[in-house]
Amino acid sequence: MSRFRDSFDQRVWQVVKGIPAGRVMGYGEVARAAGFPRYSRMVAAAMGRCPEPLPWFRVVRSNRTLAFESGSAEYREQAQLLRLEGVRFDGGKIVEAERDDSLDRVLWGPRD
DNA sequence: GGGGTGACAATTC
DNA sequence: GGAATTGCCACCC
């Protein structure tokens, strides 16, 4: 059996679950955080295999756009969920809203 | 084993 | 600011 996939999935899910509300991560970032650089594509597959609900909508492309085609049902759902968490949208791109990241800095380190 | 696929990324024009 | 090209690697026929 593919233990690789099992461990990989677990790590990815853990990382995704750890993304704070109102914050987004790129697929590459998630892969790195999980300890698997260059596995950006597998991140998507891993999330699709997750049995329990996951904040998948907090994972976006590296260019800060949504991974789905604009106008698709999934796209609108993701946009909706993100907006509820205070994420602003400029057209298709995300312009992360400024937020109280006092805790985020401690957990994730200073960003940018 | 071979070839196409993908909720991608980085680089280059 | 795009659009196109190349690299990537497990997964599934």
Side-chain angles (χ1 to χ4, degrees):
Chain A
M1 302 81 109
S2 53
R3 293 180 210 314
F4 182 91
R5 194 187 74 176
D6 292 335
S7 61
F8 178 80
D9 288 355
Q10 290 293 332
R11 295 297 300 274
V12 169
W13 298 343
Q14 185 175 342
V15 170
V16 174
K17 278 192 275 189
I19 304 177
R23 192 81 173 298
V24 296
M25 278 183 85
Y27 288 88
E29 288 181 87
V30 173
R32 274 202 316 259
F36 295 88
R38 272 189 240 70
Y39 281 70
S40 51
R41 296 185 101 137
M42 287 305 303
V43 170
M47 287 195 292
R49 285 192 295 265
C50 187
E52 60 181 290
L54 210 61
W56 55 270
F57 50 87
R58 293 181 194 149
V59 183
V60 299
R61 290 192 191 167
S62 57
N63 55 348
R64 299 266 127 141
T65 62
L66 302 191
F68 296 103
E69 187 177 2
S70 178
S72 69
E74 293 282 37
Y75 179 95
R76 285 189 289 108
E77 182 182 357
Q78 183 171 15
Q80 170 77 9
L81 290 167
L82 286 175
R83 229 176 310 168
L84 291 178
E85 297 189 338
V87 177
R88 288 193 203 167
F89 276 91
D90 176 32
K93 289 193 187 104
I94 293 178
V95 261
E96 279 194 72
E98 35 269 274
R99 63 207 168 280
D100 181 8
D101 55 0
S102 55
L103 180 57
D104 288 2
R105 287 179 184 277
V106 177
L107 293 177
W108 299 81
R111 60 187 202 81
D112 298 336

